[in-house]
Amino acid sequence: MIGFAGMTHLGLVSGLAAAAKGEAVTAFDPDSDLVARLAQGRFPIDEPQLAEIWAAHRDRVRFTSQASDLAACGLIYVAPDVPTNDSGVSDLAPVERLLGIVGKAAAGRTRVLLSQVPPGFTRALGDPSIYYQVETLVFGRAFERALEPERFILGCADPAQPLPPACRGFLERFGCPILPMRYESAELAKIAINCCLAASVTVANTLAGLAENVGADWSEIVPTLRLDRRIGPHAYLTPGLGLSGGNIERDLATVTRMADATGADAASIRAMLSNSRYRKDWPLRRYGELVGDRITHARLALWGLAYKENTHSTKNSPALAFLAGLGPSVVRAYDPLVAADARYHPGILQAKDPLDACRDADALAILTPWPEFRRVAPRDVAAAMKGRVVLDPYRLLDPEACRAAGLQQAVLGAP
Amino acid sequence: MTLEHRQNPPAEPARVVVLGSRGFIGAALVRDLQAAGIPTLAVASADLDLSAPDAAAALTALLRPEDTVVFLSALTPDKGRDIATSMRNLRMGEAVAAALQAQPVAHLVYISSDAVYPFESGLVSEATPAAPIDLYGAMHRTRELMMQQAFKGPLAVLRPTLVYGAADTHNSYGANRFRRMAQKDGKIVLGGKGEETRDHVLIDDLVAMIREVLRHRSHGTLNLVTGQSVTFDELARLVAGLFSPAAEVVHTPRQSPVTHRHFDSAARRRAFPEFRFTPLADGLRKVHREAIGGT
């Protein structure tokens, strides 16, 4: 039996994925109300495959708010949420708290810390029966990655020692490489992955921005890079609105802070953060040029509030950054999972669907690439709107159809 | 730090003390404030020489706690780029800082300059490190720091880029000099092909932006820029077209390397979402009319 402590997004997905692999799972959280809701299948997260996995494997999952139930588990994953502040600094108190509860209830059991911690954290706990596993959660694709990981990265007090049988046995169920290494290497490996992702994102966004100014079209360039073996078919090359979600930015902030403290150069990482901030303001700049400089108190339709598709999370969302700088406009917003809230903008109104948001709008901004937005016909958008401007950074609407409908579509990566 | 507002909704200041009231920007600001009926104390160097030894005491006597001070006084680069000019500017800063410590006011606005930026790393924003490369820029940066240290109330540091207007006496390379060249010689002579890009702000817009800062009692740092840069060649052709017949635009061998200035105007849009700059062509036409009409 495998225990999972902390019914967070990470803990829930990991626990249900373990059940899907045939393990009996004890899922613990100190919040008894949350546990009661989970036992009824009422989950606080939205992920593709969630309902199907729960329906197929619920008999192998037992939710509990009694930490003592973990004592029967040979292996316990600990996955609390780690909040970060506006500067990307993690609050590690929840990690220490939950490790303390689990350590007391299941002394001597192999525990694996799954939440991300900065280099040096796990060794400082001074307990070699605790391991650190690099989490691979991607919002909106969480189960896909939890069920078919590329590899496991496992931080150990001493990587020369064999892994505990319960741990090795569980990980081998997934049929992918297992990479044991010292704690510090694993902790830094997670950051290194995010830095490489940030590099791809930053290169794509920087060059897409240049394309907008020099008459090039970034979408024509991407295939040339995909065909280059040195860059690879899966590189992040689609331009976006900076780095969102918070996790990658947290790691970049960690690198600059640690480099400052240790006397290392982190100028390139600072440049990524700077570029991200600049690109996040793309909607504000384009809206200002195309609408704000021409129309007083414009009425705006907004599609999308989440930071990306298939998630309810709004952390570092470009849409919210845009709303914060918008001024006294009326905004009719629609997002499949996030409700319009006055915290986001004092003039925000809830629309019942995408076309309802467009009613009499001077402009439309599509700031989350939800798949359902692709299915809306540009001619219907044009018919509902008063104005013609569509900020569509991700090119969700077909450019030809937009032109035919008389819409002025502003996209990332093209003039 | 970018600009934040202490007063929202905005309200007119009780009284504005303009230091440097006879300069290009100061005179335009005073005219605007007086037209709006806002009590204004215009202080020019002829009234009070801020570089004089007793300037701090004299200025202290003029200030009231409810005042907003706009500190514009400066010897501009056309008056000299030497050490003596820079030191005199710093003495003015020292006097203003001492007066504000002796008599704190409600709001301080320091009109600095984009010369505090090195313009070597492309796009400039309020987050770009102020690393001046000449004495004029270093002087402004030092005065910014002086104001920050001396004044604990809301302080707005505004960094204008190239400003144009009929009353400008600086004759610096740009719209004002091009107009004068076209008027005098019938041609505008450019260094090289005029490839360098610059951002140009109409004096009326600059004053309107300062007024918004006063009304919001804003604090922080803001670049007074449009966010739209044009080449000197484009600018020269716009100016040349205002004359009849159109002035000729002449290129000469380049004497200095090409440098560009582009600003990210996101902070300005965020601080004042409803503010609109006059399009460059319209602004140049207005200035031309004023210059021809002598107003």
Side-chain angles (χ1 to χ4, degrees), chain A residues 6-357:
Chain A
M7 288 298 100
T8 57
H9 202 132
L10 178 63
L12 266 170
V13 168
S14 305
L16 292 176
K21 288 287 180 185
E23 295 283 353
V25 169
T26 297
F28 160 77
D29 194 282
D31 181 345
S32 54
D33 290 340
L34 172 63
V35 165
R37 288 195 298 276
L38 294 172
Q40 295 164 8
R42 291 160 54 205
F43 297 101
I45 62 169
D46 293 281
E47 281 292 342
Q49 303 181 60
L50 170 61
E52 295 88 333
I53 288 172
W54 172 243
H57 307 290
R58 59 191 300 171
D59 56 323
R60 279 199 288 276
V61 183
R62 180 190 168 211
F63 290 105
T64 177
S65 58
Q66 302 299 317
S68 56
D69 290 342
L70 293 170
C73 301
L75 172 68
I76 303 164
Y77 277 91
V78 183
D81 270 335
V82 181
T84 51
N85 67 16
D86 290 344
S87 305
V89 177
S90 299
D91 174 8
L92 296 165
V95 181
E96 288 161 348
R97 226 173 7 249
L98 196 58
L99 277 173
I101 292 171
V102 174
K104 209 167 159 186
R109 297 282 187 278
T110 298
R111 283 149 288 156
V112 181
L113 178 57
L114 202 50
S115 308
Q116 191 180 346
V117 293
F121 178 88
T122 318
R123 190 165 308 275
L125 297 171
D127 183 345
S129 63
I130 296 178
Y131 291 77
Y132 168 74
Q133 183 175 310
V134 172
E135 51 93 356
T136 57
L137 184 79
V138 174
F139 278 50
R141 293 175 54 199
F143 280 104
E144 172 197 327
R145 293 186 57 79
L147 292 168
E148 295 176 41
E150 307 89 317
R151 71 282 181 257
F152 287 115
I153 302 166
L154 206 64
C156 317
D158 179 2
Q161 298 298 315
L163 292 177
C167 181
R168 177 164 286 283
F170 173 59
L171 296 181
E172 283 177 348
R173 278 180 178 270
F174 292 83
C176 65
I178 301 169
L179 307 173
M181 59 188 74
R182 69 185 71 184
Y183 287 138
E184 293 82 357
S185 299
E187 290 159 338
L188 193 57
K190 168 65 183 175
I191 290 177
I193 291 165
N194 275 348
C195 286
C196 288
L197 297 181
S200 288
V201 169
T202 305
V203 167
N205 286 344
T206 302
L207 274 295
L210 187 58
E212 291 164 27
N213 298 342
V214 301
D217 187 331
W218 180 246
S219 69
E220 293 169 353
I221 298 167
V222 168
T224 71
L225 302 176
R226 297 266 185 232
L227 290 169
D228 191 317
R229 289 196 188 91
R230 297 164 301 175
I231 297 166
H234 303 297
Y236 275 26
L237 294 172
T238 305
L241 298 173
L243 303 161
S244 298
N247 292 345
I248 292 179
E249 282 179 312
R250 172 202 54 213
D251 287 348
L252 300 184
T254 300
V255 170
T256 57
R257 206 168 44 251
M258 295 183 89
D260 289 347
T262 59
D265 173 53
S268 60
I269 303 295
R270 275 187 230 287
M272 288 179 185
L273 285 164
S274 171
N275 180 267
S276 171
R277 279 190 288 269
Y278 175 70
R279 292 299 282 175
K280 197 159 281 176
D281 283 334
W282 183 93
L284 193 61
R285 274 190 298 274
R286 295 295 278 147
Y287 179 78
E289 291 158 13
L290 299 174
V291 183
D293 287 350
R294 298 169 192 192
I295 302 172
T296 305
H297 301 321
R299 295 175 67 86
L300 178 73
L302 177 62
W303 292 359
L305 292 162
Y307 88 85
K308 66 172 193 173
E309 72 276 26
N310 294 324
T311 180
H312 60 285
S313 174
T314 57
K315 183 148 188 183
N316 282 338
S317 159
L320 300 199
F322 173 63
L323 287 172
L326 193 58
S329 298
V330 172
V331 183
R332 292 178 71 85
Y334 174 76
D335 185 285
L337 282 182
V338 183
D341 190 308
R343 282 178 301 148
Y344 304 147
H345 189 275
I348 201 165
L349 302 169
Q350 177 69 53
K352 64 177 191 284
D353 57 47
L355 285 177
D356 181 45

Side-chain angles (χ1 to χ4, degrees), chain A residues 355-413:
Chain A
L355 285 177
D356 181 45
C358 292
R359 238 182 324 122
D360 298 325
D362 294 299
L364 163 65
I366 311 172
L367 298 187
T368 312
W370 283 96
E372 70 175 83
F373 295 159
R374 293 182 191 276
R375 295 193 285 271
V376 183
R379 66 172 180 280
D380 294 338
V381 172
M385 284 173 61
K386 190 170 75 180
R388 300 292 88 180
V389 173
V390 177
L391 298 186
D392 184 9
Y394 307 105
R395 297 193 211 204
L396 296 194
L397 301 185
D398 177 58
E400 277 301 320
C402 283
R403 264 192 292 280
L407 294 173
Q408 184 185 0
Q409 184 189 28
V411 302
L412 285 170

